[in-house]
Amino acid sequence: MLSQTRQPGHPIHPLFTDRWSPRAYSGEAISTPELLTVLEAARWAPSAYNAQPWRFIYAQRDTAAWQPIFDALVEFNQGWAQRAAALVVVVSAKDATFPGQTEAAPNPWHAFDAGAAWASLAFQATLSGWSAHGMAGFDADALRAAVNLPQSYAIQTVVAIGRRADKGVLPEALQAREVPNDRRPLAQSAAEGHFSFGS
């Protein structure tokens, strides 16, 4: 664990500042039980009406499942994610059968709830000594085909999970970015009573 350089403006558990999204991974393998522990934490995320719209499609490096998912990443992400231990595609069901109903209807909260599951995944990875980095850089059509995803599901992200390594494993251009980033002050994100953040 690196030294604590992020300073919260209010007292919070160190987990929230210890978690960040590195790209420098060691190439160490993750065991199936360790990976399933990370996904188990995500399973317990909150969701509207307990609809649990999230689904996780995972692949450990050096398995048959890895390459199709890896190939759908953009070249930039392939450059560093090749040393990850696992890739996890986070998707969410766009429809749900709500309490008291017998037929599925659009679930306006599916992406929000999948985000809660991703956060739980990322925090459990940190607690377990791994790191998780969510990516938006992928070919959605290629990824959908690679994992045989029905159109009734939306792709939210691909997460690389790995053991953190020295930034020297990265291309020089990326090494300067291999530090935890900060957050804007809470006053620029939270307001009492009404929206007052400018345009």
Side-chain angles (χ1 to χ4, degrees), residues 1-175:
M1 190 71 69
L2 65 118
S3 63
Q4 181 56 259
T5 57
R6 298 162 124 186
Q7 296 301 319
H10 300 272
I12 58 174
H13 193 282
L15 174 63
F16 296 98
T17 49
D18 287 347
R19 187 225 59 83
W20 63 291
S21 300
R23 292 185 178 91
Y25 289 135
S26 68
E28 178 183 338
I30 187 171
S31 70
T32 300
E34 288 176 297
L35 179 56
L36 293 181
T37 288
V38 172
L39 297 178
E40 177 70 13
R43 180 173 81 94
W44 288 95
S47 68
Y49 297 98
N50 197 29
Q52 303 172 57
W54 50 75
R55 303 291 187 275
F56 313 108
I57 303 153
Y58 63 88
Q60 290 155 279
R61 200 181 61 256
D62 300 327
T63 65
W66 168 276
Q67 201 63 46
I69 296 172
F70 180 81
D71 288 346
L73 301 178
V74 298
E75 185 177 358
F76 172 81
N77 286 334
Q78 288 180 349
W80 60 266
Q82 63 184 310
R83 287 179 301 278
L87 296 173
V88 179
V89 184
V90 181
V91 305
S92 57
K94 293 186 273 189
D95 296 334
T97 303
F98 295 108
Q101 305 299 312
T102 57
E103 294 186 13
N107 179 0
W109 308 282
H110 71 92
F112 181 80
D113 290 348
W118 143 243
S120 296
L121 183 161
F123 289 129
Q124 182 60 53
T126 300
L127 286 170
S128 300
W130 296 90
S131 293
H133 187 125
M135 295 174 272
F138 52 83
D139 180 321
D141 292 336
L143 184 57
R144 184 176 292 277
V147 300
N148 196 29
L149 187 67
Q151 290 296 325
S152 56
Y153 285 81
I155 302 172
Q156 300 300 336
T157 190
V158 180
V159 180
I161 299 173
R163 193 79 78 187
R164 195 178 309 155
D166 184 84
K167 65 182 180 180
V169 302
L170 295 172
E172 189 172 344
L174 273 182
Q175 291 182 22

